[in-house]
Amino acid sequence: MTELILGVGTRSGAPVDELVALADGLVEGLEDELVDGPADGDEVVPRDAVVAVVTSTRKRTEPAVVELARRLGVPLQTHDDETLASQPVAAPSEVVRRHVGAPSVAEAAVLAAGGVVVARARSATATVVLGRLP
């Protein structure tokens, strides 16, 4: 079965519903592309394939991030700033670099977790990156 992860970066105080809507939009975007299931041939829809929410250690207590992981029923995994800064991201942000010292949080967290970026979505207060684990 293919496993998916959601990388998340937010401003402090980002609305929970906004973050959940971004994540749902990315996952629902894969609804037409069913993920290979177990050997018995069953298919698993992408939302069922999400195994973790990944982010910066700085965001481990951010209410919207914690709530997203809770609603999905998956663990919240974090990476320190140094690890995030070492990732070769395709979409660096100077704003994020100024605030956290890394060019990305959401995308870098997906890469640090060993994922490959599949899609991304942004709002005024958050970025969510969907990643696929090998």
Side-chain angles (χ1 to χ4, degrees):
M1 173 175 76
T2 298
E3 295 180 325
L4 303 173
I5 55 177
L6 289 168
V8 178
T10 66
R11 288 186 183 165
S12 294
V16 172
D17 291 340
E18 185 175 307
L19 184 60
V20 170
L22 286 173
D24 282 346
L26 285 177
V27 173
E28 288 170 9
L30 295 180
E31 289 283 322
D32 293 335
E33 178 189 328
L34 293 177
V35 179
D36 293 335
D40 64 8
D42 289 345
E43 293 178 327
V44 179
V45 295
R47 185 170 180 124
D48 295 337
V50 175
V51 298
V53 171
V54 294
T55 192
S56 165
T57 302
R58 294 173 184 240
K59 295 296 178 182
R60 72 182 173 276
T61 60
E62 183 67 35
V65 176
V66 172
E67 179 63 11
L68 175 63
R70 188 197 68 75
R71 287 186 189 184
L72 291 170
V74 298
L76 176 61
Q77 299 173 355
T78 63
H79 299 280
D80 62 39
D81 293 344
E82 185 176 310
T83 300
L84 296 178
S86 71
Q87 302 307 309
V89 298
S93 166
E94 287 307 312
V95 172
V96 174
R97 187 184 314 270
R98 280 194 308 271
H99 288 283
V100 300
S104 167
V105 172
E107 180 182 356
V110 166
L111 297 173
V116 175
V117 173
V118 174
R120 71 184 82 236
R122 278 182 52 175
S123 71
T125 62
T127 300
V128 178
V129 174
L130 182 64
R132 185 182 308 262
L133 294 174

